[in-house]
C-alpha cells in the first residue's frame, strides 16, 4: 500500500510538471509568433460554431430544471414571483459557466485529445518536426486561443438561453407573471455577477484546451492509447474545472467584499 501511494504521488507530480513545461512552451510560441490564420479559424469553427447546438440544449434545460425545482419552495413562502432572480443568479454565477465548461470538455476536449492522439500514433506529429514545423505552435496554440476566446462567449449564450428557458417554463407552465420574472431578475443580478461567471469560463477554457492537448501529445500506442487519452482528457478537465470553480469563486467573493468596503456600491 505504501509503495502504491508513493508511486501515485510521484506520477502525479511528474504529470503536473510535464503539463507545466508543455504549457510554458505553448506560451513562448504565443508570445513570439501567432499561428497561421487558417488553423486558428478552423479551430474556432470547430470549437465555437459546432458547439452552439449543444450549448443551446444545455442552457435551455438548465433554466427549465431550475424553475421546476425552485417553484414549490418559493410558493410555500409566497415568493413565486421572485423565481426569476434565483434562476438568473444561479445561471450567471455558477451553473452556466460550470455546466457549459463540462459539456465542452466532453465534446471539444475529448475530440482534440483523440485527434492529436491519432496524429501521435500515426507519426504525423513526428512528420511535422521533420518538415521543420513545431507541433506545439502549429497544433496546440490555435486550439488554446480558440478555447480561451470562444468558451466565454458560449457561456454567455448558455446563460441567456437558460434564463429564457426558465422564463418560458415559469410563465407558460407555472403561471408566474412575466413582468415580475424580468423585474426581479433585473433587481438581483448585477454586472459584477455576469462578469464573474465569464471570468471563470476563461480559465475553464484554458484548462480544457491545455489538458486535452497534453493528453493527446502523450498518447499511448494503438487504438487503446487514443481511447485512454480521450478519457483522461475529460476526467482531468472535469476535476480541474471543479477545483478552479472553487478557488475562483472564493477569490471573486473576497474581491467583491473588499471593493464594497473601499468603494461602496461601485460594483453594483
Amino acid at each position: 500500500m505504501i509503495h502504491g501511494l508513493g508511486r501515485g504521488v510521484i506520477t502525479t507530480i511528474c504529470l503536473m510538471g510535464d503539463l507545466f513545461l508543455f504549457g510554458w512552451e505553448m506560451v513562448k510560441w504565443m508570445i513570439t509568433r501567432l499561428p497561421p490564420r487558417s488553423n486558428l479559424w478552423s479551430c474556432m469553427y470547430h470549437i465555437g460554431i459546432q458547439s452552439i447546438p449543444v450549448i443551446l440544449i444545455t442552457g435551455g434545460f438548465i433554466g427549465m430544471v431550475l424553475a421546476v425545482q425552485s417553484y414549490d419552495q418559493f410558493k410555500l413562502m409566497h415568493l413565486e414571483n421572485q423565481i426569476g432572480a434565483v434562476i438568473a443568479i444561479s445561471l450567471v454565477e455558477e451553473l452556466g459557466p460550470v455546466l457549459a465548461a463540462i459539456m465542452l470538455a466532453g465534446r471539444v476536449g475529448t475530440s482534440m485529445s483523440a485527434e492529436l492522439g491519432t496524429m501521435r500514433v500515426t507519426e504525423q506529429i513526428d512528420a511535422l518536426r521533420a518538415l521543420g514545423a513545431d507541433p506545439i505552435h502549429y497544433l496546440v496554440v490555435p486550439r488554446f486561443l480558440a478555447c480561451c476566446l470562444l468558451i466565454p462567449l458560449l457561456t454567455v449564450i448558455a446563460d441567456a438561453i437558460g434564463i429564457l428557458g426558465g422564463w418560458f417554463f415559469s410563465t407558460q407552465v407555472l403561471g408566474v407573471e412575466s413582468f415580475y420574472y424580468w423585474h426581479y431578475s433585473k433587481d438581483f443580478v448585477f454586472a459584477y455577477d455576469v462578469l464573474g461567471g465569464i471570468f471563470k469560463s476563461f480559465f475553464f477554457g484554458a484548462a480544457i484546451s491545455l489538458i486535452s492537448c497534453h493528453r493527446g501529445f502523450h498518447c499511448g500506442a494503438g487504438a487503446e492509447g487514443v481511447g485512454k487519452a480521450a478519457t483522461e482528457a475529460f476526467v482531468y478537465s472535469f476535476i480541474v474545472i471543479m477545483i478552479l470553480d472553487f478557488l475562483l469563486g472564493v477569490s471573486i467573493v473576497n474581491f467583491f467584499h473588499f471593493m464594497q468596503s473601499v468603494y461602496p456600491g461601485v460594483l453594483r
Side-chain angles (χ1 to χ4, degrees), residues 110 113 215 225-237:
T110 55
S113 179
R215 298 321 302 153
V226 175
K228 184 178 179 181
T231 302
E232 290 176 346
F234 176 74
V235 173
Y236 294 165
S237 297

Side-chain angles (χ1 to χ4, degrees), residues 92-157:
V92 300
E93 277 194 343
E94 190 66 29
L95 292 180
V98 172
L99 292 181
I102 292 173
M103 289 300 298
L104 291 170
R107 185 201 169 274
V108 175
T110 55
S111 174
M112 290 193 299
S113 179
E115 182 180 359
L116 295 177
T118 303
M119 295 179 71
R120 166 65 69 183
V121 170
T122 57
E123 299 182 351
Q124 295 180 50
I125 292 178
D126 296 331
L128 281 175
R129 287 197 177 95
L131 292 172
D134 189 276
I136 293 180
H137 172 255
Y138 190 79
L139 299 174
V140 178
V141 173
R143 287 168 171 80
F144 180 84
L145 291 176
C147 284
C148 291
L149 292 174
L150 294 182
I151 288 182
L153 296 179
L154 293 171
T155 299
V156 173
I157 295 174

Side-chain angles (χ1 to χ4, degrees), residues 173-189:
V173 179
L174 301 177
V176 177
E177 290 290 335
S178 180
F179 169 80
Y180 291 112
Y181 183 93
W182 296 114
H183 173 73
Y184 286 110
S185 297
K186 177 176 66 69
D187 284 351
F188 283 90
V189 179

Side-chain angles (χ1 to χ4, degrees), residues 70-87:
S70 304
Y71 180 76
D72 288 338
Q73 285 75 20
F74 272 68
K75 189 175 182 180
L76 290 175
M77 299 180 288
H78 304 286
L79 297 173
E80 61 268 21
N81 286 330
Q82 299 186 22
I83 193 174
V86 176
I87 294 173

Side-chain angles (χ1 to χ4, degrees), residues 18-30 33-36 39-44 47 108 112-113 115-117 119-120 125 128-129 133-149 205-218:
D18 192 57
L19 182 64
F20 174 80
L21 294 175
F22 186 83
W24 176 246
E25 186 71 21
M26 181 194 65
V27 170
K28 288 194 297 184
W29 275 112
M30 283 196 299
R33 188 175 63 180
L34 291 177
N39 284 8
L40 183 59
W41 287 119
S42 175
C43 293
M44 292 179 74
I47 293 170
V108 175
M112 290 193 299
S113 179
E115 182 180 359
L116 295 177
M119 295 179 71
R120 166 65 69 183
I125 292 178
L128 281 175
R129 287 197 177 95
D134 189 276
I136 293 180
H137 172 255
Y138 190 79
L139 299 174
V140 178
V141 173
R143 287 168 171 80
F144 180 84
L145 291 176
C147 284
C148 291
L149 292 174
I208 291 170
S209 59
L210 185 61
I211 292 172
S212 300
C213 292
H214 178 266
R215 298 321 302 153
F217 261 65
H218 296 80

